[in-house]
């Protein structure tokens, strides 16, 4: 894509997607190596002269990158990193349908933690929402669909599918 990062607003919440600008040209391999120190990037794309977008699988990686990269001298250039509006925010979020009313969110937390680090479990009644830090863990948790809790089989969907 083009260099359309400049007009985008800084979101109020951290996201998995970052805008990175460097004050002078640097070797892209230096930037890639720096980004890899915070976790596995999902993608890193040049967006024009001195501008890049980077996306992480894990929200904690993007937060660490913004906190530690800002103002950092890297390959002779100063780095500025900020969160971009994450159009893929739903990728770490699952909806759980068919939950027995007697099931507490702590029980769901315990079950879903078997797939990875859970950020949050919300909701009540037959519908709950489970958010993961890492989208790969959310995809792994889709396999929990059909698991019986308190006599009811739960159905796990991505939030994107549930909204469709």
């Amino acid at each position: 894509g083009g260099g359309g990062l400049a007009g985008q607003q800084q979101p109020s919440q951290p996201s998995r997607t970052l805008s990175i600008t460097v004050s002078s040209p640097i070797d892209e391999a230096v930037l890639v190596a720096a980004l890899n120190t915070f976790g596995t990037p999902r993608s890193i794309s040049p967006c024009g002269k001195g501008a890049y977008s980077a996306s992480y699988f894990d929200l904690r990686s993007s937060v660490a990158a913004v906190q530690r990269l800002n103002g950092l001298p890297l390959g002779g250039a100063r780095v500025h990193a900020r969160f971009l509006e994450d159009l893929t925010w739903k990728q770490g979020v699952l909806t759980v349908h068919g939950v027995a009313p007697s099931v507490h969110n702590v029980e769901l937390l315990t079950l879903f933690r078997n797939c990875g680090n859970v950020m949050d479990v919300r909701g009540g009644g037959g519908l709950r929402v489970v958010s993961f830090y890492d989208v790969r863990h959310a995809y792994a948790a889709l396999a929990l669909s059909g698991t019986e809790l308190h006599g009811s089989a739960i159905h796990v969907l991505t939030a994107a599918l549930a909204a469709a």
Side-chain angles (χ1 to χ4, degrees):
L5 296 180
Q8 293 196 16
Q9 292 292 329
Q10 170 102 13
S12 57
Q13 295 290 322
S15 71
R16 291 180 179 91
T17 306
L18 309 179
S19 166
I20 300 162
T21 53
V22 290
S23 62
S24 58
I26 64 169
D27 184 350
E28 197 170 315
V30 171
L31 179 62
V32 170
L35 291 171
N36 272 302
T37 63
F38 305 108
T40 305
R42 187 175 199 163
S43 66
I44 302 169
S45 307
C47 300
K49 191 174 183 176
Y52 300 85
S53 68
S55 179
Y56 283 95
F57 289 105
D58 193 315
L59 182 63
R60 295 166 296 184
S61 298
S62 66
V63 169
V66 166
Q67 288 173 344
R68 296 194 197 129
L69 278 179
N70 261 322
L72 189 74
L74 192 62
R78 277 248 181 282
V79 177
H80 178 70
R82 65 181 179 88
F83 298 112
L84 285 178
E85 193 64 42
D86 195 345
L87 303 176
T88 60
W89 68 269
K90 292 180 181 176
Q91 290 186 355
V93 179
L94 302 176
T95 58
V96 186
H97 301 264
V99 181
S102 59
V103 175
H104 294 279
N105 285 353
V106 172
E107 292 174 82
L108 283 175
L109 177 65
T110 302
L111 175 66
F112 281 86
R113 269 192 186 147
N114 290 317
C115 299
N117 292 326
V118 175
M119 188 177 353
D120 191 24
V121 178
R122 294 182 306 277
L127 175 64
R128 313 292 171 89
V129 177
V130 179
S131 302
F132 284 86
Y133 287 103
D134 191 315
V135 295
R136 297 168 293 187
H137 298 159
Y139 286 122
L142 290 171
L144 295 174
S145 206
T147 300
E148 245 186 65
L149 290 176
H150 296 218
S152 289
I154 61 170
H155 305 285
V156 183
L157 295 171
T158 64
L161 276 178

